[in-house]
Amino acid sequence: MVHMVLPTPDNLGIVFYPEPVLRKQCVRVEAFDDALQAFTARMFELMHEADGIGLAAPQVGVPISLFVCNITGEPGVDDLVCVNPTFKALEGTADLEEGCLSLPEIGVTMRRATRALMAAQDVHGDPFEATGIDLMARVWQHEADHLVGKLIIDKMSDKDELANQRAIRTLEDQYKGNRGI
Ligand code: ZN
């Protein structure tokens, strides 16, 4: 069993494609301690600061199976922590353009289930099941993809590929620049 030591919350920030952590298979969370609570609190802060509605742990550099979301953007009210999530049912499909906090300036039309039944644990480790419809279901599926290293740019239509290629290239160049290569 892998126990991931969480970084100090103040040191966390959103990482951008092509940071390798975004491609990792995330490990299960086993320790539901104060450090995990501080970690998720900081994730909510970062998500709200960036005007996002979902954020997965690898997006702040930590490859553990956890995401936070809030589809209304109202801090504290609709905040939801999902630890070790799995889908028990996915039904219906709809296409909609999605963005990603780790892929600024990029939009990709994604086909997602419109109804999702998810089993997960809360920040204390208590199991729960929840049903998400439409945007909620979409966010859960987007974030769950992050937990297995998948990104919205992985399967783009020709149209999206053309529209996004410049922004993707810019991110790749910035990453190389940051690394001094
Ligand atoms: Zn994302």
Side-chain angles (χ1 to χ4, degrees):
M1 192 184 301
V2 184
H3 180 66
M4 190 77 55
V5 176
L6 296 171
T8 308
D10 288 350
N11 294 337
L12 294 170
I14 293 174
V15 301
F16 302 103
Y17 170 85
E19 188 71 42
V21 70
L22 293 170
R23 292 306 193 181
K24 292 217 168 142
Q25 174 72 45
C26 291
V27 299
R28 277 183 70 81
V29 175
E30 305 285 355
F32 294 85
D33 52 10
D34 290 351
L36 190 72
Q37 288 184 42
F39 177 73
T40 56
R42 179 70 180 136
M43 283 182 69
F44 278 118
E45 264 178 25
L46 290 166
M47 181 185 81
H48 288 305
E49 275 169 24
D51 284 326
I53 57 175
L55 186 66
Q59 293 183 274
V60 296
V62 183
I64 59 172
S65 184
L66 178 163
F67 67 81
V68 302
C69 62
N70 181 330
I71 62 163
T72 68
E74 209 174 320
V77 180
D78 296 308
D79 287 349
L80 179 66
V81 180
C82 301
V83 185
N84 302 323
T86 57
F87 292 115
K88 303 190 84 176
L90 291 168
E91 293 163 7
T93 53
D95 294 339
L96 193 74
E97 185 173 301
E98 295 180 13
C100 178
L101 294 179
S102 295
L103 288 157
E105 311 294 324
I106 288 164
V108 180
T109 299
M110 300 294 292
R111 178 159 295 178
R112 301 282 193 193
T114 52
R115 184 176 180 277
L117 173 60
M118 177 178 59
Q121 286 165 279
D122 68 15
V123 75
H124 305 292
D126 294 324
F128 69 92
E129 285 188 9
T131 300
I133 308 284
D134 294 335
L135 183 60
M136 184 84 93
R138 181 171 292 275
V139 171
W140 291 354
Q141 291 166 82
H142 177 116
E143 302 312 328
D145 275 355
H146 275 299
L147 305 181
V148 292
K150 283 194 211 166
L151 298 172
I152 56 173
I153 55 171
D154 293 348
K155 280 185 193 165
M156 289 187 283
S157 66
D158 291 349
K159 183 168 164 275
D160 282 341
E161 194 154 335
L162 197 63
N164 290 315
Q165 63 182 6
R166 195 189 187 108
I168 292 169
R169 182 68 187 272
T170 300
L171 286 170
E172 288 170 351
D173 287 349
Q174 279 169 354
Y175 180 75
K176 282 183 208 149
N178 289 340
R179 310 266 295 179
I181 296 166

